Amino acid sequence: FCRERNIVVTAYSPLGSDNSPLLTNEIVKKIAAKHNVQPANVLVSLQANRPGVNVLPKSVTNSRILSNSTIIDLTQEEIDELQSINNTHHFRACHPSWTGWGSLGFPDCLDADKE
């Protein structure tokens, strides 16, 4: 939908949050070690390598801001492996219920429509 209309999507909060379980996920850590980068770099790179997506990793720490700018090239196998995390460790860092508009159509948030 967005690509057809030349809409660029923003990957807001691609790290999840402070102490996000994604930063300690074994798949993420394995790929980070292979590329000699931090787990955060792997997560930012996953989104940065998607066509039509820009990434806004947030930090208030100067060293992390600088570190987050390191983007690595991921293989298709690594991308597939990272995307498979959702199948076994699904979680949502930002729930749409905070908007006051319910689930916003996200199937895993339909409980917000009952509130």
PDB file of all heavy atoms in Angstrom, residues 75-96:
ATOM      1  N   THR A  75      22.555 -10.581   5.600  1.00  0.00           N
ATOM      2  CA  THR A  75      22.235 -11.543   4.548  1.00  0.00           C
ATOM      3  C   THR A  75      20.742 -11.843   4.592  1.00  0.00           C
ATOM      4  O   THR A  75      20.073 -11.593   5.615  1.00  0.00           O
ATOM      5  CB  THR A  75      23.009 -12.861   4.741  1.00  0.00           C
ATOM      6  OG1 THR A  75      22.525 -13.501   5.933  1.00  0.00           O
ATOM      7  CG2 THR A  75      24.509 -12.628   4.821  1.00  0.00           C
ATOM      8  N   GLN A  76      20.210 -12.398   3.519  1.00  0.00           N
ATOM      9  CA  GLN A  76      18.794 -12.771   3.517  1.00  0.00           C
ATOM     10  C   GLN A  76      18.513 -13.804   4.602  1.00  0.00           C
ATOM     11  O   GLN A  76      17.468 -13.772   5.244  1.00  0.00           O
ATOM     12  CB  GLN A  76      18.360 -13.297   2.144  1.00  0.00           C
ATOM     13  CG  GLN A  76      16.861 -13.535   2.046  1.00  0.00           C
ATOM     14  CD  GLN A  76      16.055 -12.267   2.301  1.00  0.00           C
ATOM     15  OE1 GLN A  76      16.298 -11.226   1.699  1.00  0.00           O
ATOM     16  NE2 GLN A  76      15.095 -12.329   3.210  1.00  0.00           N
ATOM     17  N   GLU A  77      19.477 -14.692   4.820  1.00  0.00           N
ATOM     18  CA  GLU A  77      19.314 -15.702   5.876  1.00  0.00           C
ATOM     19  C   GLU A  77      19.203 -15.039   7.255  1.00  0.00           C
ATOM     20  O   GLU A  77      18.367 -15.431   8.079  1.00  0.00           O
ATOM     21  CB  GLU A  77      20.497 -16.667   5.852  1.00  0.00           C
ATOM     22  CG  GLU A  77      20.408 -17.767   6.893  1.00  0.00           C
ATOM     23  CD  GLU A  77      21.602 -18.711   6.827  1.00  0.00           C
ATOM     24  OE1 GLU A  77      22.065 -19.037   5.711  1.00  0.00           O
ATOM     25  OE2 GLU A  77      22.054 -19.114   7.908  1.00  0.00           O
ATOM     26  N   GLU A  78      20.024 -14.017   7.497  1.00  0.00           N
ATOM     27  CA  GLU A  78      19.963 -13.302   8.779  1.00  0.00           C
ATOM     28  C   GLU A  78      18.649 -12.537   8.919  1.00  0.00           C
ATOM     29  O   GLU A  78      18.038 -12.542   9.992  1.00  0.00           O
ATOM     30  CB  GLU A  78      21.151 -12.348   8.903  1.00  0.00           C
ATOM     31  CG  GLU A  78      22.476 -13.059   9.062  1.00  0.00           C
ATOM     32  CD  GLU A  78      23.667 -12.149   8.909  1.00  0.00           C
ATOM     33  OE1 GLU A  78      23.584 -11.128   8.178  1.00  0.00           O
ATOM     34  OE2 GLU A  78      24.708 -12.471   9.508  1.00  0.00           O
ATOM     35  N   ILE A  79      18.205 -11.911   7.844  1.00  0.00           N
ATOM     36  CA  ILE A  79      16.929 -11.200   7.870  1.00  0.00           C
ATOM     37  C   ILE A  79      15.792 -12.167   8.189  1.00  0.00           C
ATOM     38  O   ILE A  79      14.944 -11.888   9.045  1.00  0.00           O
ATOM     39  CB  ILE A  79      16.682 -10.474   6.528  1.00  0.00           C
ATOM     40  CG1 ILE A  79      17.670  -9.323   6.371  1.00  0.00           C
ATOM     41  CG2 ILE A  79      15.236  -9.985   6.425  1.00  0.00           C
ATOM     42  CD1 ILE A  79      17.704  -8.711   4.987  1.00  0.00           C
ATOM     43  N   ASP A  80      15.786 -13.319   7.526  1.00  0.00           N
ATOM     44  CA  ASP A  80      14.742 -14.323   7.781  1.00  0.00           C
ATOM     45  C   ASP A  80      14.788 -14.789   9.231  1.00  0.00           C
ATOM     46  O   ASP A  80      13.751 -14.962   9.871  1.00  0.00           O
ATOM     47  CB  ASP A  80      14.898 -15.516   6.840  1.00  0.00           C
ATOM     48  CG  ASP A  80      14.634 -15.173   5.386  1.00  0.00           C
ATOM     49  OD1 ASP A  80      14.024 -14.111   5.115  1.00  0.00           O
ATOM     50  OD2 ASP A  80      15.044 -15.970   4.511  1.00  0.00           O
ATOM     51  N   GLU A  81      16.000 -15.002   9.730  1.00  0.00           N
ATOM     52  CA  GLU A  81      16.158 -15.454  11.110  1.00  0.00           C
ATOM     53  C   GLU A  81      15.642 -14.398  12.097  1.00  0.00           C
ATOM     54  O   GLU A  81      14.943 -14.714  13.063  1.00  0.00           O
ATOM     55  CB  GLU A  81      17.640 -15.744  11.359  1.00  0.00           C
ATOM     56  CG  GLU A  81      17.908 -16.656  12.506  1.00  0.00           C
ATOM     57  CD  GLU A  81      19.370 -17.086  12.576  1.00  0.00           C
ATOM     58  OE1 GLU A  81      20.212 -16.632  11.767  1.00  0.00           O
ATOM     59  OE2 GLU A  81      19.659 -17.890  13.473  1.00  0.00           O
ATOM     60  N   LEU A  82      15.961 -13.133  11.840  1.00  0.00           N
ATOM     61  CA  LEU A  82      15.488 -12.054  12.707  1.00  0.00           C
ATOM     62  C   LEU A  82      13.964 -11.927  12.650  1.00  0.00           C
ATOM     63  O   LEU A  82      13.313 -11.736  13.678  1.00  0.00           O
ATOM     64  CB  LEU A  82      16.153 -10.732  12.313  1.00  0.00           C
ATOM     65  CG  LEU A  82      17.637 -10.635  12.650  1.00  0.00           C
ATOM     66  CD1 LEU A  82      18.283  -9.482  11.894  1.00  0.00           C
ATOM     67  CD2 LEU A  82      17.833 -10.479  14.159  1.00  0.00           C
ATOM     68  N   GLN A  83      13.413 -12.032  11.461  1.00  0.00           N
ATOM     69  CA  GLN A  83      11.961 -11.917  11.330  1.00  0.00           C
ATOM     70  C   GLN A  83      11.239 -13.097  11.975  1.00  0.00           C
ATOM     71  O   GLN A  83      10.084 -12.966  12.373  1.00  0.00           O
ATOM     72  CB  GLN A  83      11.570 -11.756   9.866  1.00  0.00           C
ATOM     73  CG  GLN A  83      11.993 -10.398   9.336  1.00  0.00           C
ATOM     74  CD  GLN A  83      11.703 -10.205   7.864  1.00  0.00           C
ATOM     75  OE1 GLN A  83      11.591 -11.150   7.105  1.00  0.00           O
ATOM     76  NE2 GLN A  83      11.595  -8.951   7.465  1.00  0.00           N
ATOM     77  N   SER A  84      11.925 -14.222  12.118  1.00  0.00           N
ATOM     78  CA  SER A  84      11.299 -15.389  12.742  1.00  0.00           C
ATOM     79  C   SER A  84      11.144 -15.223  14.254  1.00  0.00           C
ATOM     80  O   SER A  84      10.396 -15.974  14.888  1.00  0.00           O
ATOM     81  CB  SER A  84      12.108 -16.659  12.439  1.00  0.00           C
ATOM     82  OG  SER A  84      13.281 -16.704  13.234  1.00  0.00           O
ATOM     83  N   ILE A  85      11.824 -14.259  14.851  1.00  0.00           N
ATOM     84  CA  ILE A  85      11.713 -14.029  16.295  1.00  0.00           C
ATOM     85  C   ILE A  85      10.255 -13.808  16.678  1.00  0.00           C
ATOM     86  O   ILE A  85       9.799 -14.274  17.727  1.00  0.00           O
ATOM     87  CB  ILE A  85      12.587 -12.834  16.735  1.00  0.00           C
ATOM     88  CG1 ILE A  85      14.069 -13.167  16.560  1.00  0.00           C
ATOM     89  CG2 ILE A  85      12.283 -12.440  18.183  1.00  0.00           C
ATOM     90  CD1 ILE A  85      14.990 -11.978  16.743  1.00  0.00           C
ATOM     91  N   ASN A  86       9.516 -13.126  15.843  1.00  0.00           N
ATOM     92  CA  ASN A  86       8.102 -12.845  16.127  1.00  0.00           C
ATOM     93  C   ASN A  86       7.286 -14.127  16.304  1.00  0.00           C
ATOM     94  O   ASN A  86       6.289 -14.135  17.023  1.00  0.00           O
ATOM     95  CB  ASN A  86       7.502 -11.981  15.018  1.00  0.00           C
ATOM     96  CG  ASN A  86       6.113 -11.510  15.369  1.00  0.00           C
ATOM     97  OD1 ASN A  86       5.898 -10.946  16.434  1.00  0.00           O
ATOM     98  ND2 ASN A  86       5.176 -11.737  14.474  1.00  0.00           N
ATOM     99  N   ASN A  87       7.707 -15.215  15.665  1.00  0.00           N
ATOM    100  CA  ASN A  87       6.959 -16.476  15.760  1.00  0.00           C
ATOM    101  C   ASN A  87       7.081 -17.134  17.127  1.00  0.00           C
ATOM    102  O   ASN A  87       6.170 -17.848  17.553  1.00  0.00           O
ATOM    103  CB  ASN A  87       7.425 -17.461  14.688  1.00  0.00           C
ATOM    104  CG  ASN A  87       7.197 -16.940  13.289  1.00  0.00           C
ATOM    105  OD1 ASN A  87       6.287 -16.158  13.047  1.00  0.00           O
ATOM    106  ND2 ASN A  87       8.038 -17.356  12.365  1.00  0.00           N
ATOM    107  N   THR A  88       8.190 -16.900  17.817  1.00  0.00           N
ATOM    108  CA  THR A  88       8.412 -17.577  19.091  1.00  0.00           C
ATOM    109  C   THR A  88       8.481 -16.631  20.285  1.00  0.00           C
ATOM    110  O   THR A  88       8.305 -17.057  21.417  1.00  0.00           O
ATOM    111  CB  THR A  88       9.720 -18.401  19.055  1.00  0.00           C
ATOM    112  OG1 THR A  88      10.794 -17.529  18.685  1.00  0.00           O
ATOM    113  CG2 THR A  88       9.624 -19.538  18.050  1.00  0.00           C
ATOM    114  N   HIS A  89       8.764 -15.357  20.055  1.00  0.00           N
ATOM    115  CA  HIS A  89       8.907 -14.392  21.149  1.00  0.00           C
ATOM    116  C   HIS A  89       8.165 -13.091  20.841  1.00  0.00           C
ATOM    117  O   HIS A  89       8.708 -12.000  20.986  1.00  0.00           O
ATOM    118  CB  HIS A  89      10.393 -14.082  21.396  1.00  0.00           C
ATOM    119  CG  HIS A  89      11.164 -15.244  21.893  1.00  0.00           C
ATOM    120  ND1 HIS A  89      11.841 -16.103  21.055  1.00  0.00           N
ATOM    121  CD2 HIS A  89      11.347 -15.719  23.140  1.00  0.00           C
ATOM    122  CE1 HIS A  89      12.416 -17.038  21.769  1.00  0.00           C
ATOM    123  NE2 HIS A  89      12.133 -16.828  23.038  1.00  0.00           N
ATOM    124  N   HIS A  90       6.915 -13.194  20.409  1.00  0.00           N
ATOM    125  CA  HIS A  90       6.151 -12.000  20.041  1.00  0.00           C
ATOM    126  C   HIS A  90       5.899 -11.117  21.258  1.00  0.00           C
ATOM    127  O   HIS A  90       5.572 -11.599  22.331  1.00  0.00           O
ATOM    128  CB  HIS A  90       4.808 -12.405  19.419  1.00  0.00           C
ATOM    129  CG  HIS A  90       3.938 -11.225  19.112  1.00  0.00           C
ATOM    130  ND1 HIS A  90       4.143 -10.445  18.006  1.00  0.00           N
ATOM    131  CD2 HIS A  90       2.902 -10.678  19.781  1.00  0.00           C
ATOM    132  CE1 HIS A  90       3.250  -9.469  17.999  1.00  0.00           C
ATOM    133  NE2 HIS A  90       2.491  -9.590  19.065  1.00  0.00           N
ATOM    134  N   PHE A  91       6.107  -9.858  21.087  1.00  0.00           N
ATOM    135  CA  PHE A  91       5.706  -8.872  22.090  1.00  0.00           C
ATOM    136  C   PHE A  91       5.523  -7.540  21.380  1.00  0.00           C
ATOM    137  O   PHE A  91       5.999  -7.342  20.269  1.00  0.00           O
ATOM    138  CB  PHE A  91       6.754  -8.755  23.208  1.00  0.00           C
ATOM    139  CG  PHE A  91       7.940  -7.907  22.843  1.00  0.00           C
ATOM    140  CD1 PHE A  91       8.019  -6.594  23.261  1.00  0.00           C
ATOM    141  CD2 PHE A  91       8.960  -8.414  22.070  1.00  0.00           C
ATOM    142  CE1 PHE A  91       9.101  -5.803  22.912  1.00  0.00           C
ATOM    143  CE2 PHE A  91      10.048  -7.640  21.716  1.00  0.00           C
ATOM    144  CZ  PHE A  91      10.120  -6.334  22.146  1.00  0.00           C
ATOM    145  N   ARG A  92       4.790  -6.654  21.988  1.00  0.00           N
ATOM    146  CA  ARG A  92       4.563  -5.335  21.405  1.00  0.00           C
ATOM    147  C   ARG A  92       5.083  -4.293  22.392  1.00  0.00           C
ATOM    148  O   ARG A  92       4.634  -4.217  23.522  1.00  0.00           O
ATOM    149  CB  ARG A  92       3.081  -5.124  21.138  1.00  0.00           C
ATOM    150  CG  ARG A  92       2.779  -3.763  20.552  1.00  0.00           C
ATOM    151  CD  ARG A  92       1.316  -3.641  20.195  1.00  0.00           C
ATOM    152  NE  ARG A  92       0.997  -4.392  19.000  1.00  0.00           N
ATOM    153  CZ  ARG A  92       1.216  -3.969  17.764  1.00  0.00           C
ATOM    154  NH1 ARG A  92       1.796  -2.814  17.561  1.00  0.00           N
ATOM    155  NH2 ARG A  92       0.867  -4.702  16.732  1.00  0.00           N
ATOM    156  N   ALA A  93       6.047  -3.490  21.935  1.00  0.00           N
ATOM    157  CA  ALA A  93       6.616  -2.453  22.790  1.00  0.00           C
ATOM    158  C   ALA A  93       5.678  -1.249  22.884  1.00  0.00           C
ATOM    159  O   ALA A  93       5.596  -0.611  23.919  1.00  0.00           O
ATOM    160  CB  ALA A  93       7.980  -2.012  22.262  1.00  0.00           C
ATOM    161  N   CYS A  94       4.985  -0.947  21.817  1.00  0.00           N
ATOM    162  CA  CYS A  94       4.075   0.200  21.780  1.00  0.00           C
ATOM    163  C   CYS A  94       2.675  -0.302  21.443  1.00  0.00           C
ATOM    164  O   CYS A  94       2.426  -0.684  20.310  1.00  0.00           O
ATOM    165  CB  CYS A  94       4.532   1.218  20.736  1.00  0.00           C
ATOM    166  SG  CYS A  94       6.173   1.872  21.037  1.00  0.00           S
ATOM    167  N   HIS A  95       1.806  -0.315  22.428  1.00  0.00           N
ATOM    168  CA  HIS A  95       0.436  -0.786  22.224  1.00  0.00           C
ATOM    169  C   HIS A  95      -0.426   0.389  21.770  1.00  0.00           C
ATOM    170  O   HIS A  95      -0.360   1.472  22.360  1.00  0.00           O
ATOM    171  CB  HIS A  95      -0.109  -1.371  23.531  1.00  0.00           C
ATOM    172  CG  HIS A  95      -1.290  -2.238  23.352  1.00  0.00           C
ATOM    173  ND1 HIS A  95      -2.540  -1.741  23.090  1.00  0.00           N
ATOM    174  CD2 HIS A  95      -1.417  -3.580  23.379  1.00  0.00           C
ATOM    175  CE1 HIS A  95      -3.395  -2.732  22.980  1.00  0.00           C
ATOM    176  NE2 HIS A  95      -2.729  -3.865  23.152  1.00  0.00           N
ATOM    177  N   PRO A  96      -1.254   0.214  20.729  1.00  0.00           N
ATOM    178  CA  PRO A  96      -2.032   1.345  20.212  1.00  0.00           C
ATOM    179  C   PRO A  96      -3.113   1.853  21.152  1.00  0.00           C
ATOM    180  O   PRO A  96      -3.715   2.885  20.893  1.00  0.00           O
ATOM    181  CB  PRO A  96      -2.639   0.803  18.918  1.00  0.00           C
ATOM    182  CG  PRO A  96      -2.644  -0.660  19.070  1.00  0.00           C
ATOM    183  CD  PRO A  96      -1.469  -0.993  19.940  1.00  0.00           C
TER     184      PRO A  96
END
